[in-house]
Amino acid sequence: MDADLDTLCTAVYCTADDLLPERAGNARRRITDAEVVTLCVAQAVMGTPSDRRFLAVARKRLSELFPELPHQSGFHKRRRRLSDTIEWLVGVFASQSPGSRDDVVLLDSTPVECGRSRETVRRSGLADFAGYGYCQSHSRFFWGMRLHLACAPDGTPRAAALTAAERPEREVALELLPRALRGGEAVVCDKGYAGAEFALAVEGMEARVLRPARSDEPDNGLHLSSIRQRIESVFWTCKDLLTLERHGARTIDNLRVRIAQRLLALAACISLNHQLGRPSRSLVAYVA
């Protein structure tokens, strides 16, 4: 079996079609929920944030798989209504990968910028949810949200949360980790998660925190840069190939589902790569 976009779409459609309940017939509904979910994955993998532009390309590129495609407004509404379903399917595909049972969990967060001008901040539909945060990696402030992610070393997403940019990472992590841990894992994170209370709370979840020592702490002898780089690589995959930073969302519901569809695409690609014996996060074959 070749690794390409058609194979990925077929795998996603078959899984979604088997698991999602059949909805009552509707003369105006031309495609099923499973087809909408598959189109969401294809859109993320093809790196086309604009719905109108994606559907125009899909009519040529995916015509054999989708004889009928929805209009832009219909696709937008159906995707938003399937937000919970898409988030649930992320867990389904993640459970099919060995990373769902890995004893190492990588924990970090990344900015999801939603606007730059002051006028955008005042008028945006995200104004009640977004906030100002600081990006340590780029030494700059930004306005928007943060995507907090707990994943396996192979990139399999175990749990994710989208929060306002100013929320403390440790506070969000304590809400996120119970969904990512089974017990006995090592949680690898950076110095931003330092703190005795946080470490004790993670121990209460039957896991332990591994992080580099801060400048005011004695050297603990842990050299985690190579494994911590993996989650940075996962974020880069989401931003570069899956256009995480070019989400184009203007409301919180739309932002939530657009982030979820990218995580679903990531989980589906990793799951299929494991089945095909390919490197877990090699997405080039599906993008080309």
Side-chain angles (χ1 to χ4, degrees), residues 67-189:
E68 290 195 44
L69 287 171
H71 295 297
Q72 184 269 337
S73 59
F75 177 61
H76 179 84
K77 292 175 183 177
R78 293 282 298 278
R79 179 183 57 201
R80 186 179 59 205
R81 291 171 185 166
L82 289 171
S83 180
D84 291 336
T85 299
I86 292 173
E87 291 181 355
W88 174 70
L89 284 171
V90 174
V92 171
F93 280 99
S95 67
Q96 298 173 358
S97 300
S100 64
R101 302 174 294 278
D102 202 293
D103 290 334
V104 175
V105 173
L106 308 180
L107 177 66
D108 206 350
S109 68
T110 191
V112 180
E113 193 171 348
C114 299
R116 293 193 175 183
S117 70
R118 188 173 182 83
E119 195 68 18
T120 299
V121 172
R122 285 192 320 200
R123 296 187 177 186
S124 174
L126 292 164
D128 293 335
F129 306 94
Y132 284 98
Y134 185 73
C135 178
Q136 190 74 33
S137 301
H138 298 90
S139 302
R140 65 178 178 88
F141 287 94
F142 69 96
W143 184 81
M145 312 285 284
R146 269 191 182 278
L147 175 62
H148 300 259
L149 181 65
C151 69
D154 68 351
T156 301
R158 304 257 296 239
L162 188 65
T163 69
E166 70 269 18
R167 280 199 66 186
E169 288 183 315
R170 284 173 290 182
E171 177 184 305
V172 178
L174 292 179
E175 300 173 1
L176 184 70
L177 286 175
R179 294 189 278 125
L181 302 178
R182 297 176 294 105
E185 291 94 346
V187 179
V188 179
C189 51

Side-chain angles (χ1 to χ4, degrees), residues 13-278:
Y13 173 78
C14 291
T15 301
D17 189 56
D18 288 343
L19 296 176
L20 299 185
E22 185 176 354
R23 298 180 64 179
N26 186 325
R28 299 180 60 186
R29 188 182 300 123
R30 297 187 294 173
I31 64 174
T32 65
D33 288 348
E35 289 175 303
V36 174
V37 169
T38 306
L39 284 171
C40 288
V41 171
Q43 181 183 23
V45 170
M46 293 170 69
T48 312
S50 167
D51 294 344
R52 192 179 304 278
R53 194 157 55 241
F54 163 68
L55 292 172
V57 174
R59 285 186 177 90
K60 297 180 181 180
R61 175 66 178 81
L62 303 174
S63 58
E64 294 182 358
L65 298 178
F66 299 92
E68 290 195 44
L69 287 171
H71 295 297
Q72 184 269 337
S73 59
F75 177 61
H76 179 84
K77 292 175 183 177
R78 293 282 298 278
R79 179 183 57 201
R80 186 179 59 205
R81 291 171 185 166
L82 289 171
S83 180
D84 291 336
T85 299
I86 292 173
E87 291 181 355
W88 174 70
L89 284 171
V90 174
V92 171
F93 280 99
S95 67
Q96 298 173 358
S97 300
S100 64
R101 302 174 294 278
D102 202 293
D103 290 334
V104 175
V105 173
L106 308 180
L107 177 66
D108 206 350
S109 68
T110 191
V112 180
E113 193 171 348
C114 299
R116 293 193 175 183
S117 70
R118 188 173 182 83
E119 195 68 18
T120 299
V121 172
R122 285 192 320 200
R123 296 187 177 186
S124 174
L126 292 164
D128 293 335
F129 306 94
Y132 284 98
Y134 185 73
C135 178
Q136 190 74 33
S137 301
H138 298 90
S139 302
R140 65 178 178 88
F141 287 94
F142 69 96
W143 184 81
M145 312 285 284
R146 269 191 182 278
L147 175 62
H148 300 259
L149 181 65
C151 69
D154 68 351
T156 301
R158 304 257 296 239
L162 188 65
T163 69
E166 70 269 18
R167 280 199 66 186
E169 288 183 315
R170 284 173 290 182
E171 177 184 305
V172 178
L174 292 179
E175 300 173 1
L176 184 70
L177 286 175
R179 294 189 278 125
L181 302 178
R182 297 176 294 105
E185 291 94 346
V187 179
V188 179
C189 51
D190 59 24
K191 300 175 186 178
Y193 295 90
E197 292 185 6
F198 178 75
L200 287 173
V202 174
E203 287 180 9
M205 303 176 197
E206 299 182 356
R208 61 194 180 105
V209 174
L210 297 180
R211 62 170 178 81
R214 297 184 307 188
S215 59
D216 59 347
E217 295 177 326
D219 188 358
N220 54 23
L222 294 176
H223 300 285
L224 304 171
S225 57
S226 58
I227 190 169
R228 283 181 54 245
Q229 188 61 31
R230 293 195 182 188
I231 193 167
E232 296 296 339
S233 180
V234 172
F235 283 141
W236 179 247
T237 298
C238 292
K239 292 181 178 183
D240 181 36
L241 297 179
L242 302 180
T243 64
L244 177 67
E245 292 184 318
R246 295 190 291 119
H247 51 78
R250 299 177 183 176
T251 65
I252 188 62
D253 291 335
N254 198 21
L255 178 61
R256 175 189 168 196
V257 71
R258 284 176 182 251
I259 297 298
Q261 79 177 102
R262 285 158 173 80
L263 292 177
L264 176 59
L266 177 65
C269 288
I270 291 174
S271 173
L272 183 57
N273 280 337
H274 279 298
Q275 296 178 45
L276 298 178
R278 291 167 44 82

